[in-house]
Amino acid sequence: MSPLTVLGVFCGLFLPLSLSEYNTHNCIPRKSVLYQDNMKLFREEGIWNYSTMLVREDLGLLILGAREAIYALDIKDISIKKSVVNWPVTDEKLKECTSKGKHAESECRNFIRALHKMDHNTMYVCGTNAFSPTCVNVTYSEGHLTRGDRLEEGKGKCPFDPIQRYSSVMVGNELYSATSNNFLGSEPVVLRSGPSSLRTVFKSSWLNEPNFVYMDLVPESDNNPEGDDDKVYLFFSENAVEYDFYNKLLVSRVGRVCKGDVGGQRTLQGKWTSFLKARLDCSLPEPSLPSIVQDVFLLKDSDWTKSVFYAVFTPQSSLSDVSTVCAYNVSTIGQLFDTGKFKTPVTVETSYVKWVMYSGEVPTPRPGACINNAARALEMTRSLDLPDKTLQFISDHPLMDEAVPPLTGRPLLVKKGAMFTCLVVDNVLALDGERHAVLFIGTENGFVQKAVNYAGEMFIIEEIQLYRTPEPIKTMRLSSSTGQLYAGSDYGAVQMPLCDCGRYESCLDCVLARDPYCGWDLSSGVCSAVVNSTKFVQSLKNGDISQCPKSDTLKPENHTLVPGNNIKLPCQPDSNLAQVHWLFSGQPLLSGTKHYIYNGGLLILNASTNDAGPYTCESVEQVNSRTHTRTMAVYELQPQTNKAEEGTETMTTYSHSTPLPHDPSVLEPPLPPAPRSDEHRVVGLQVSVAVLSVMLVGLVAWNVYKGQFRSKSSETSGAGQLKGPSVDVQRSKTSEIKPLTPTSSHNANNNHSAFISFKGNGEHPFSGCNTLHVDGFGYINDESEI
Amino acid sequence: MAPHGFSVPAAVIPVLLVLSACWRSDGLTSDPFPAHYPTFTRNDTLFEHIALHPDPAVGRVYVGARDRLFQLDRHLVAELQDNTGPVTDSRECLPPVTEANCPQARPTSNHNKLLLVDPFSMELITCGSINQGICQKRSLDSVDKVLFSAERPVDTQYVAANHPNVSTVGLVVRSRPDRQPVLFVGRGYTSSHPPISTRNLAQEPVFSYEETAKLAVAGRLSEYDHHFVASFAHQHHIYFLFYRRDLKSQSREYRTYVSRVCLDDQAYYSYVEVPLACLSAAGKSYNLLQAVRLGSPPRGGSESEAGQAKVLLGVFSTRQASSTRPSEDSALCMFKLDDLDQLINSTRDLCYTQYGRAEGGGEAAYIEYEVKSNCAYLPLNTLEAYPCGSDHTPSPMASRVAVEAEPILDSPSARLTAVAVSVRVGHTIAFLGDSKGNLRKVFLGPNGEVEEYSVVSIQANAAISSDLVLDQSEDHLFIMTPTMLQKRPVAECYQHLDCQECLSAHDPYCGWCVLEGRCGLQSQCSRGDQEGQWLWSFDMEQQCLNVLSLSPSNTSREEHRHVSLSVPRLPGLKQGETYSCFFGDSESPASVTEAGVLCLSPEFPRVPAVLPGQGEFK
C-alpha cells in the first residue's frame, strides 16, 4: 500500500505543473488500436535490425535491409519474401573488427544502412561491414536479388558504426551522404561521392559533433526566376556554438548545399562552397532547452516552393517527455539562406569565442549562394569562378544568424508520452477537394500516431500499435500507390494500411474520426475509403454529423439489483476524446462515495433499493466546441424480488449482452467460500476502496502529467494476453484510469470484459485475460522507479 | 732549493718533441686574427633564419632575411643574394594576387618563415610570409635559382604563417630510406590552417598536406593560439615544441607542450601531446618556451658519448600579465628525452587501454582539440599491435600530467632567446643567447653542476636569434642577431699561450696538452684521453707541470754530473720515447724516475744560469 501512497503524493506534486504546462487535449489520439495478430510482419529467425527500407513501386517490391541480409518483399504483403541476398562479413573482417575492440555480434557485422534506387532494377547498397563500410550494387531480376562483384569503399557514404545516425540521398547517380568519415566517428562529413566529389571542411563551425537525420533534394531549378540551382537539404542536430551554456547544448539544424557546386579554385577546393546552415526552431511556449530533430519528411509539391518539411523533435532533457512536430516551408528556409544575416565568431576575453550577428559587409556574390543569374551576370558560371572573398567568408561563416521559424509559428503537434522517432506524411485528397497532410509518426514504443492538421489545430485520428512488444520504430516508408505504410525496427518490418475505415462502425464514429481517407457511405451504410463516385459523409474540419442517418434509440437492458452488492454497469465510449456522462432517472450522476464513474463504466457501491431505476450512459464528444452527445447504453435496475442467497457475490457485473457461461466479465472472485458478509469483509472493502481512490487519483494525475502511459510491461502483457482474434480491441493509453480498466471492446456485440480489483495487490490468481490489475501495479512500480 | 749553479737565461728545461706530427687544428688555430671572427652584417634587412649546407666540406651558409636570401661561403662572405620582396600582397588575398582580385594589396615585406635544407634531394626549401606562406624549392648551389614554386597554389599548399611575428617550424625527414622524404611543419595560428601537417615534396600538388596528414582540430584554432618553437626528429618520431592556451584550465593561460608523432604515421593516429613545465621551487612558472634544442652526442662520437642520455634544453620566459609579449624574466630548464618519451608512452597506453585513467582513478590522458573521441578500453595487446595507433585508436591524445623541471639557471633581466647544446664526454655545454645581445656559455656537469663560465657580448641590445646553431663538427657556433651573423669557435683555447693562462681561462672545452705544450680541445691533444696528458682548463684543481725541485740544487759549472728534477704528475711515455733536458742550448737525454727525471748536466761552459722556479715545460 505504501508505494501507492507515495505515488499519489508524487503525482499530486506534479499535478499543478502538468496542468499549467499544456492543454493536453489535442495530443490524445481519438482511438487507440492495439496490436492485431493479423498485422503483416516480416522477420526471419536470427536476423535483426530491419532498419533500412526502399520502396520500389516500379518493381512491386519493398527492399528491406537488415543485418547481413537484403530482402525483396512483396510491396502488397511484406510477409511474402520474394528473394533475399545475404551479405555476411568475412571471417577476416570479423577478426580484425573484434581485435579493434568492437563487439562481434552487435558491431562487427554487416548492417545494411543504405539502399538507393539506381537505374532500372538496380539498388546501391551500403553496409557497415564490420566497421569498414562497403557499398555494392544489388540487382533484382527474374524474381531474384543478386549482389554485384564490385565492392566499393563505403567510407563517408555509410557509417562505420551500426547505431550511428546518418543520412544519404541519391541524386542522379551521385550519392550525397552525411555521416562520419572514420572509425572513431570523430570526423563528420557531408560528402558527395562520384567524379566531382565534394565534402565539408572539418571544423566545428561547420559541423560540431553532428547527428545526421535526413537529406533530400528540392528541385529548385524548376521555373526559377533567379536561375537558381537544385539543392540538397540536410537536417541534423549538433553542439551549439551560439549559446553560452555551462555544458554542451544541442540544437537542431537545417543545412543545404547546391547540386551544381564543384568546390572552390584556390580555397575550398574539393569542399562545398554552398554549405549553409541555420537553427531550426520548434520551441514550446514555455522556456525549455531546444528540442532535437529526430526525423524529417519532405512533403513534395509539384510547385517546389510549396513543398514542406515535416520534422519530429524530442526533448533534449531527459526530464521532459514532450515530443513535437514542426513543419517548415522550403521557401522560408530558402529565403533565410538567401537573404538572412550571418553569424560571426568574435573573440572575447582570454580567447573565448562568442557568435554574434555579422553586421559588416557581405561579399558579392553572396556567400553560400548557388550559381544563379546574379552570379552568371558577373561571369561566374561555376563555383570555381567564385572570388576568394566569398569563399573565405563562407568558410568562416556557415551559420545563419536567425533560426528557421516553423510554418505556423509554433509546433504543429505537442505530445507527451512515448518519444517520437520518425515520421512520414501522406498528402490526402479529401472529399471537399482539399488536400490534407496526414502525419504518420512512429514512436519508441512501437506505435504509429496518425495525425492531421485542421485549420491550425492538430488532431490525432488514432494510434496504432505495430508490435506486440514495445519496439522503437527505426524507419518508416510510405507507398501511396498501394496505400501502405512500412515500419522497421530491430525486431522486424511491419506493414499497415494508411487507413482502415472499417474500424468506424457508426456514422457518427466515422465522421467524428475526421479521417480524410474515410467517409460514411450512405448507400452501403459502412465507413469506407472515400471515392468520388458514391455519396459519402465526411466533415473533417467541423465533425458535422448532421448528415448522418438518425440512429434508433437504444432499448434499456433490465438488470436485477441485489442490495448490499456492488454493481458495475459497463459503458465504453468510441473515442478517447469523449467524456462519459451517466444519468440516473434523468439526473446526472457524479462520482462520489456511492457512485464511481470510470472509463469502463459506472460502479454502484453497496447498492440499495434506492438505486433502482433507469441508468443512461452518454458519450459526449466535442469537435470545434460543437458538442455531440450519443447514448451508449441504457440500463434499468430492478429491485431484487428474492433475497440473495448465502455467499452472494461481492460484486455484480452486467453486460449489454448475455454473459457466456465462462464469461470472465462476470466476476467471481476466488474469495474463500461463504464469506458471509462479516465485518472483516466490510472493512476490507472500505480499505480497498480507499486504496483504489488513492490509486486512481494518482493515476489520473500521472496520466495528465505524462500524457500517455509508457508502461512497457502493461502494454506488453496487456496486449499479449488478449484472447483470440479480437478485432479492434481498444485501449487508450491516454485517458483517465485506463490502466485499471481491462481491455474491452467498443463493439456492443462483443463481450465486455470489465473488471476491477478491489484488493489492489494482485494476490489473486485470476484466470482468463483479466490480469490487468497486476499490470496496473506493474506500471506503477515501473514509473515510481523513475 | 734554488739551483744557483745555473745561469739565468737558459732554464733547465726538460722537454720533449718526440712526436713529429703537427697537432694544429684547422678551426682553432688557422685564424691569424682571432679577434676578427667571420661576420656578415647588413643594415637593409633583418636576418631571420639560418641553414647550413649539409656537407661540412662545402661549409656554405644560407641566411633567410626580410626580403632577402643570402648564400654565404664558410667565411660568411656573400656568394649570392636573391631579393624576395617587397611584393604586392595582402594577408586577406590568396595568391596569385592581382589588382582585380585584391585591390587592397600593397607592397609587403616578405619575411623568411622557413629555411630548410632537404638533404635527400639536396635542395633548399624557403617559405616566406607573403602569398599565404607558400614555399619554393631552390638550388643549394645558387640560392637565387628557384627550382619549384606553385604557380596557382591552393590553400593546402599554404605552408608558413602569413604574419611576420608568427613562427613556423619545420623539418625534412623520411621515415625509412625507401620512403619519400616529407616536410613536417608546425605553423603558429594566423588563420584556420592545421597547426601541424605533413607536406609531400615529391608529387603534385607539392607542399600540400591533402594526401599526407594533418593534425585535425575540431575546436577553434584561434582559441588555442599555437606558437611553435621547434621541431626535431629522433629515432622513429618527430617532436614539436610549442606553447598555446590551455583551454582546459580556468584561466586559459598559455602553456608549453611537446607533441610526438610516429614518422610513418599517415594519419597522426599516434599523436600525443604532453605539457612541459619549467617551474621554480618558489612556484614561479616559466610557461613560454622561447627556444629549445635537443642535446645529442655528436654524430660519430665515441661510445661513451653515444650512451649519454639525450637532453632537451629549453629557455623559457614568463608572460607579462598585461601583455601578450613574453617578459625578460626567463630561465633555462633541462628535460631528459627519456622522461618525455616515457610520459608520452604512458599517456598513449592509458588512453588506449584504461579509458585514460591513471592507477588512482584520475584522468591522466584525454582527447584534445575537441575531437569527438574518447580514451578507450581496448585489449592490452593493442599497445604491441599498434604502437603508432590505427584508425580505431583514439586520437589526438594529450596528457593531464606535465613533465616538470626546475630551472637550472635563471636570467631575470635579459630574456633568454636562444639555446644550442653540445654534449661532451661527462658533461654538456649550453650556449645561450639573450635579448641583450650576449652569448652565454653554461657548463652542465654530470652531477647537476651548472656554471655560466662565459658571457660574451655579440651585439649590444640586439636579441640573439633562436637560430643559434653549431656546425656539424660542433667546433663553431653561428650567432645571429637581426643585423649580424657571426661564426665563432665554440672555444678559443689557442689564445692561451701558456699553461697557466690556459688553465685560468676556465673553459670546459680547453685544456693544456702537456706533451704538445698547447692549449686546446681534448680531442686535439694527441694523447688527451690519457691520464695527465691534457690538463682540463675547467678543473679548478688542475695545475700546470713545473719543476718542484732540482737536486742537487747547486752544482759547480765545472762539474758534469746527474741532476734530479722533481716534476709531479709528469705524464708517462710510450716505449721508445724519451724526455730530454735542455740546459740552455745543450740537450741531454732524461731518464724518468719516480719523482720526475734525471739528467746529466752539460759540460762547462755550456751551463746557463738557472733561477729557482723557472724550470719550464714547453
Side-chain angles (χ1 to χ4, degrees):
Chain A
M1 202 192 295
S2 64
L4 289 180
T5 323
V6 168
L7 180 76
V9 172
F10 183 69
C11 294
L13 279 175
F14 274 84
L15 196 57
L17 174 78
S18 56
L19 282 180
S20 63
E21 208 176 293
Y22 263 103
N23 173 7
T24 52
H25 175 78
N26 67 351
C27 78
I28 298 170
R30 188 172 177 276
K31 270 191 199 296
S32 301
V33 183
L34 291 195
Y35 180 77
Q36 297 164 34
D37 273 346
N38 60 354
M39 187 77 77
K40 291 193 173 79
L41 169 85
F42 177 79
R43 74 180 305 266
E44 282 199 339
E45 215 45 57
I47 305 279
W48 300 88
N49 307 84
Y50 300 85
S51 55
T52 314
M53 288 179 172
L54 173 68
V55 173
R56 290 293 305 255
E57 289 176 336
D58 52 340
L59 302 176
L61 296 176
L62 175 73
I63 309 292
L64 177 64
R67 207 183 85 171
E68 312 209 313
I70 302 138
Y71 298 97
L73 309 176
D74 189 328
I75 198 168
K76 294 196 186 84
D77 181 353
I78 63 164
S79 59
I80 300 168
K81 179 176 85 178
K82 293 202 164 175
S83 181
V84 62
V85 60
N86 291 308
W87 188 9
V89 296
T90 60
D91 290 347
E92 195 186 336
K93 281 269 181 224
L94 180 65
K95 206 174 144 199
E96 188 190 334
C97 178
T98 50
S99 81
K100 288 178 174 179
K102 296 293 171 188
H103 191 268
E105 285 305 308
S106 64
E107 292 175 307
C108 295
R109 296 285 171 180
N110 191 13
F111 296 83
I112 306 302
R113 297 299 307 274
L115 286 173
H116 292 287
K117 183 182 171 177
M118 303 279 282
D119 311 326
H120 309 301
N121 52 355
T122 305
M123 269 73 64
Y124 190 66
V125 183
C126 299
T128 60
N129 200 24
F131 264 78
S132 89
T134 311
C135 300
V136 74
N137 280 339
V138 169
T139 48
Y140 181 80
S141 68
E142 292 164 8
H144 289 285
L145 281 177
T146 343
R147 181 155 56 94
D149 299 326
R150 209 169 62 88
L151 296 179
E152 282 180 28
E153 165 74 64
K155 189 179 144 189
K157 299 176 188 172
C158 173
F160 287 64
D161 188 339
I163 60 162
Q164 199 170 61
R165 291 296 300 267
Y166 106 110
S167 184
S168 60
V169 63
M170 187 69 83
V171 178
N173 274 336
E174 289 183 312
L175 181 71
Y176 290 71
S177 52
T179 182
S180 68
N181 202 20
N182 61 353
F183 190 102
L184 293 176
S186 61
E187 194 191 319
V189 70
V190 178
L191 174 74
R192 181 177 67 203
S193 330
S196 59
S197 148
L198 280 189
R199 60 182 63 216
T200 41
V201 175
F202 178 54
K203 57 183 186 183
S204 58
S205 55
W206 281 50
L207 294 168
N208 195 0
E209 300 183 22
N211 217 354
F212 299 111
V213 159
Y214 182 81
M215 275 178 128
D216 211 343
L217 176 87
V218 178
E220 299 191 19
S221 62
D222 288 358
N223 297 320
N224 195 306
E226 269 106 49
D228 210 336
D229 193 7
D230 293 347
K231 288 165 192 144
V232 172
Y233 286 84
L234 166 70
F235 291 80
F236 59 106
S237 57
E238 65 169 351
N239 286 340
V241 291
E242 65 265 43
Y243 295 109
D244 293 321
F245 202 64
Y246 66 94
N247 215 334
K248 280 182 178 174
L249 182 72
L250 292 175
V251 285
S252 300
R253 303 259 195 232
V254 55
R256 71 109 164 96
V257 291
C258 303
K259 190 183 156 200
D261 197 345
V262 289
Q265 180 80 263
R266 291 180 288 197
T267 186
L268 293 180
Q269 70 279 8
K271 308 283 193 313
W272 297 108
T273 66
S274 58
F275 179 73
L276 286 172
K277 62 177 183 179
R279 189 168 66 81
L280 271 183
D281 179 44
C282 185
S283 48
L284 300 168
E286 80 277 2
S288 58
L289 297 178
S291 47
I292 305 307
V293 64
Q294 296 299 338
D295 193 24
V296 178
F297 187 88
L298 173 61
L299 188 61
K300 291 172 184 164
D301 193 288
S302 52
D303 174 5
W304 62 266
T305 58
K306 296 198 176 99
S307 294
V308 174
F309 288 108
Y310 288 86
V312 288
F313 292 81
T314 58
Q316 175 152 186
S317 158
S318 56
L319 297 173
S320 168
D321 64 347
V322 177
S323 298
T324 47
V325 176
C326 279
Y328 305 91
N329 219 318
V330 165
S331 45
T332 310
I333 300 175
Q335 198 175 16
L336 184 74
F337 286 138
D338 291 346
T339 60
K341 297 269 189 195
F342 293 91
K343 269 207 194 299
T344 190
V346 172
T347 302
V348 288
E349 76 280 2
T350 62
S351 83
Y352 279 98
V353 166
K354 240 180 134 73
W355 285 77
V356 298
M357 190 180 86
Y358 178 79
S359 50
E361 199 187 324
V362 174
T364 316
R366 184 178 161 90
C370 305
I371 299 296
N372 52 20
N373 290 343
R376 286 184 202 103
L378 298 167
E379 294 184 349
M380 297 168 192
T381 55
R382 299 168 306 165
S383 61
L384 290 169
D385 305 328
L386 290 171
D388 298 332
K389 257 189 166 179
T390 293
L391 298 182
Q392 284 169 296
F393 187 93
I394 200 61
S395 171
D396 294 335
H397 305 90
L399 178 62
M400 306 307 297
D401 183 56
E402 277 181 90
V404 180
L407 199 58
T408 49
R410 61 196 168 92
L412 278 183
L413 174 64
V414 176
K415 191 173 189 313
K416 285 173 164 290
M419 297 293 182
F420 293 170
T421 56
C422 51
L423 92 165
V424 291
V425 184
D426 192 19
N427 201 3
V428 184
L429 183 65
L431 214 55
D432 57 7
E434 271 190 61
R435 291 201 160 267
H436 297 279
V438 180
L439 279 55
F440 296 86
I441 305 159
T443 66
E444 62 174 1
N445 62 349
F447 276 71
V448 166
Q449 307 279 340
K450 179 177 173 183
V452 65
N453 190 290
Y454 293 128
E457 191 208 343
M458 207 67 193
F459 177 68
I460 302 181
I461 299 164
E462 58 192 358
E463 60 177 0
I464 300 134
Q465 189 181 20
L466 295 189
Y467 293 91
R468 193 186 289 275
T469 57
E471 280 289 324
I473 296 179
K474 293 277 174 68
T475 185
M476 290 204 305
R477 287 291 180 272
L478 193 71
S479 167
S480 291
S481 70
T482 55
Q484 297 293 324
L485 176 79
Y486 310 98
S489 73
D490 286 347
Y491 175 78
V494 292
Q495 173 184 354
M496 157 196 141
L498 295 176
C499 62
D500 185 0
C501 304
R503 201 171 278 147
Y504 312 110
E505 300 201 342
S506 66
C507 179
L508 192 111
D509 195 21
C510 180
V511 174
L512 289 185
R514 298 161 75 196
D515 186 331
Y517 293 100
C518 302
W520 185 260
D521 185 342
L522 290 169
S523 54
S524 58
V526 291
C527 192
S528 63
V530 288
V531 192
N532 266 337
S533 58
T534 42
K535 185 159 170 54
F536 283 94
V537 181
Q538 190 184 53
S539 175
L540 301 179
K541 284 181 186 147
N542 301 321
D544 183 359
I545 56 164
S546 57
Q547 287 182 61
C548 277
K550 291 281 169 280
S551 55
D552 302 331
T553 43
L554 282 172
K555 268 173 71 182
E557 286 178 40
N558 292 335
H559 292 293
T560 311
L561 183 150
V562 182
N565 274 10
N566 299 314
I567 297 163
K568 186 188 165 208
L569 300 175
C571 178
Q572 180 91 41
D574 287 339
S575 159
N576 296 330
L577 304 179
Q579 282 186 303
V580 172
H581 288 184
W582 281 90
L583 304 172
F584 174 53
S585 303
Q587 294 302 309
L589 278 181
L590 294 174
S591 267
T593 51
K594 183 74 189 167
H595 299 102
Y596 188 78
I597 299 170
Y598 69 102
N599 209 323
L602 171 72
L603 199 63
I604 304 164
L605 302 172
N606 195 14
S608 67
T609 46
N610 292 344
D611 295 325
Y615 287 82
T616 308
C617 170
E618 286 179 342
S619 147
V620 182
E621 193 166 356
Q622 271 198 335
V623 178
N624 284 347
S625 67
R626 200 188 303 217
T627 305
H628 303 285
T629 305
R630 184 176 159 216
T631 304
M632 302 298 292
V634 182
Y635 297 96
E636 182 70 39
L637 281 192
Q638 293 164 339
Q640 196 187 29
T641 44
N642 302 322
K643 220 176 156 48
E645 294 159 29
E646 295 287 299
T648 310
E649 297 167 347
T650 55
M651 182 174 152
T652 314
T653 302
Y654 296 106
S655 161
H656 291 268
S657 55
T658 319
L660 294 168
H662 297 293
D663 188 349
S665 66
V666 177
L667 184 73
E668 293 187 66
L671 288 174
R676 186 94 201 175
S677 58
D678 50 15
E679 248 181 49
H680 210 249
R681 197 196 75 189
V682 174
V683 170
L685 189 66
Q686 284 169 345
V687 168
S688 302
V689 169
V691 167
L692 187 68
S693 317
V694 167
M695 205 168 80
L696 290 173
V697 168
L699 282 171
V700 169
W702 184 252
N703 236 342
V704 171
Y705 175 63
K706 299 286 285 187
Q708 182 182 345
F709 289 107
R710 292 202 290 143
S711 155
K712 294 186 176 183
S713 62
S714 69
E715 278 152 17
T716 310
S717 50
Q721 288 177 25
L722 286 173
K723 274 184 152 184
S726 56
V727 183
D728 290 355
V729 175
Q730 194 184 53
R731 183 166 150 251
S732 166
K733 303 189 281 81
T734 47
S735 49
E736 309 108 291
I737 67 164
K738 271 292 169 61
L740 277 182
T741 67
T743 52
S744 65
S745 166
H746 72 281
N747 188 334
N749 294 322
N750 283 348
N751 296 330
H752 279 228
S753 38
F755 168 74
I756 293 254
S757 163
F758 270 33
K759 278 293 176 188
N761 55 11
E763 69 187 25
H764 302 303
F766 291 108
S767 57
C769 64
N770 291 322
T771 54
L772 248 146
H773 61 295
V774 178
D775 300 332
F777 281 100
Y779 160 73
I780 287 163
N781 289 336
D782 278 357
E783 293 295 327
S784 56
E785 280 161 15
I786 291 171
Chain B
M1 287 262 280
H4 286 300
F6 299 123
S7 62
V8 179
V12 173
I13 296 320
V15 164
L16 134 128
L17 274 174
V18 186
L19 308 171
S20 55
C22 172
W23 304 100
R24 298 162 72 92
S25 123
D26 325 323
L28 292 186
T29 52
S30 61
D31 190 347
F33 308 105
H36 299 118
Y37 306 107
T39 302
F40 178 66
T41 55
R42 290 295 286 253
N43 289 329
D44 60 341
T45 183
L46 294 173
F47 297 160
E48 284 161 329
H49 290 103
I50 173 179
L52 305 182
H53 193 285
D55 181 0
V58 176
R60 200 172 274 151
V61 178
Y62 306 92
V63 176
R66 186 188 64 196
D67 299 327
R68 303 281 184 276
L69 279 175
F70 300 103
Q71 177 180 322
L72 313 176
D73 70 3
R74 65 165 68 247
H75 306 294
L76 304 191
V77 176
E79 291 180 340
L80 278 171
Q81 169 182 335
D82 191 25
N83 292 349
T84 56
V87 170
T88 305
D89 189 40
S90 163
R91 218 180 304 158
E92 287 88 55
C93 301
L94 307 184
V97 170
T98 62
E99 172 63 32
N101 69 20
C102 187
Q104 71 265 46
R106 296 284 172 273
T108 305
S109 280
N110 185 5
H111 293 262
N112 176 254
K113 305 307 294 179
L114 212 50
L115 183 70
L116 298 170
V117 167
D118 172 357
F120 309 101
S121 42
M122 291 301 271
E123 287 165 345
L124 187 70
I125 292 170
T126 59
C127 314
S129 59
I130 53 130
N131 286 336
Q132 301 297 342
I134 60 165
C135 300
Q136 289 81 39
K137 289 181 177 176
R138 291 169 184 265
S139 160
L140 281 178
D141 294 326
S142 31
V143 77
D144 54 348
K145 193 169 152 196
V146 175
L147 304 174
F148 171 84
S149 185
E151 265 174 44
R152 296 193 70 82
V154 297
D155 60 3
T156 55
Q157 288 173 291
Y158 304 162
V159 177
N162 57 353
H163 190 284
N165 299 337
V166 178
S167 68
T168 304
V169 300
L171 197 61
V172 179
V173 283
R174 63 180 179 201
S175 55
R176 291 208 309 256
D178 59 339
R179 294 278 170 87
Q180 292 282 2
V182 290
L183 168 65
F184 279 91
V185 176
R187 178 200 158 132
Y189 171 76
T190 56
S191 56
S192 55
H193 294 282
I196 297 177
S197 53
T198 308
R199 313 287 182 144
N200 99 76
L201 294 172
Q203 293 92 30
E204 282 290 340
V206 178
F207 294 122
S208 170
Y209 58 78
E210 188 75 62
E211 299 298 320
T212 41
K214 60 170 180 175
L215 175 63
V217 173
R220 296 194 61 80
L221 284 169
S222 66
E223 295 186 58
Y224 292 97
D225 194 19
H226 286 78
H227 288 73
F228 280 88
V229 178
S231 66
F232 62 85
H234 177 63
Q235 290 178 347
H236 305 297
H237 297 107
I238 182 145
Y239 298 76
F240 284 92
L241 290 118
F242 53 90
Y243 62 88
R244 63 165 174 86
R245 285 188 188 274
D246 177 12
L247 301 194
K248 299 278 173 196
S249 75
Q250 200 65 39
S251 64
R252 294 194 158 200
E253 188 49 272
Y254 285 96
R255 206 172 180 193
T256 295
Y257 296 83
V258 58
S259 68
R260 191 186 82 177
V261 192
C262 290
L263 275 182
D264 53 1
D265 180 357
Q266 286 294 298
Y268 291 2
Y269 296 132
S270 58
Y271 187 91
V272 184
E273 196 170 288
V274 300
L276 210 55
C278 181
L279 283 171
S280 78
K284 185 195 277 183
S285 169
Y286 296 92
N287 56 335
L288 304 184
L289 184 67
Q290 300 297 301
V292 67
R293 205 51 64 78
L294 178 71
S296 296
R299 251 176 291 171
S302 68
E303 253 176 58
S304 55
E305 282 172 325
Q308 202 151 347
K310 286 153 196 75
V311 292
L312 208 57
L313 279 179
V315 289
F316 292 78
S317 156
T318 53
R319 194 170 70 108
Q320 276 169 340
S322 55
S323 83
T324 52
R325 295 192 62 78
S327 75
E328 295 296 287
D329 191 0
S330 55
L332 172 68
C333 269
M334 179 160 73
F335 304 87
K336 284 198 186 111
L337 188 63
D338 285 347
D339 292 349
L340 275 173
D341 277 328
Q342 213 167 4
L343 182 63
I344 289 171
N345 292 342
S346 81
T347 301
R348 174 197 62 199
D349 296 354
L350 291 174
C351 189
Y352 282 4
T353 63
Q354 303 295 326
Y355 292 124
R357 309 227 159 254
E359 224 157 88
E363 186 182 74
Y366 66 100
I367 301 301
E368 186 49 277
Y369 297 117
E370 290 173 47
V371 171
K372 188 192 166 191
S373 176
N374 288 303
C375 285
Y377 194 76
L378 293 167
L380 279 177
N381 62 17
T382 305
L383 304 176
E384 238 173 69
Y386 307 100
C388 287
S390 169
D391 61 351
H392 71 289
T393 58
S395 70
M397 295 171 277
S399 169
R400 288 269 180 210
V401 190
V403 181
E404 287 182 16
E406 252 184 60
I408 53 177
L409 180 103
D410 66 345
S411 175
S413 55
R415 180 164 48 91
L416 298 172
T417 56
V419 58
V421 189
S422 180
V423 175
R424 321 299 298 187
V425 183
H427 63 267
T428 297
I429 308 295
F431 300 94
L432 309 178
D434 69 23
S435 58
K436 302 272 185 342
N438 298 314
L439 175 69
R440 300 155 70 162
K441 301 178 181 176
V442 182
F443 169 83
L444 305 168
N447 303 312
E449 307 97 314
V450 177
E451 189 184 330
E452 186 174 74
Y453 64 88
S454 164
V455 178
V456 185
S457 176
I458 303 295
Q459 194 184 12
N461 290 320
I464 309 287
S465 159
S466 61
D467 277 23
L468 181 66
V469 290
L470 289 158
D471 61 9
Q472 286 92 343
S473 60
E474 297 195 355
D475 290 333
H476 290 89
L477 192 62
F478 293 90
I479 309 148
M480 195 165 74
T481 69
T483 55
M484 186 176 90
L485 174 66
Q486 197 164 69
K487 179 180 177 182
R488 283 182 177 238
V490 289
E492 292 160 281
C493 311
Y494 58 89
Q495 283 186 327
H496 312 299
L497 297 174
D498 62 38
C499 178
Q500 280 309 332
E501 214 185 308
C502 182
L503 291 197
S504 62
H506 195 57
D507 188 322
Y509 277 99
C510 302
W512 186 254
C513 188
V514 175
L515 297 184
E516 292 167 36
R518 288 196 295 114
C519 191
L521 302 182
Q522 190 174 24
S523 59
Q524 292 158 345
C525 180
S526 61
R527 295 178 191 173
D529 52 349
Q530 288 168 26
E531 176 79 29
Q533 297 278 9
W534 186 74
L535 309 178
W536 190 26
S537 167
F538 202 66
D539 187 345
M540 298 295 257
E541 279 154 27
Q542 201 67 263
Q543 286 176 352
C544 291
L545 284 191
N546 61 3
V547 180
L548 209 56
S549 63
L550 283 177
S551 175
S553 53
N554 282 320
T555 174
S556 95
R557 289 178 170 225
E558 294 79 22
E559 210 172 346
H560 178 60
R561 55 163 295 180
H562 278 98
V563 181
S564 163
L565 293 92
S566 163
V567 187
R569 302 181 304 279
L570 183 70
L573 295 176
K574 286 185 189 165
Q575 198 142 27
E577 296 170 346
T578 54
Y579 285 110
S580 295
C581 291
F582 287 84
F583 299 90
D585 293 335
S586 67
E587 180 187 352
S588 77
S591 55
V592 177
T593 64
E594 224 164 85
V597 289
L598 195 66
C599 299
L600 195 63
S601 66
E603 285 170 53
F604 182 77
R606 298 167 62 193
V607 178
V610 168
L611 293 178
Q614 280 190 334
E616 190 186 323
F617 288 93
K618 279 188 178 166

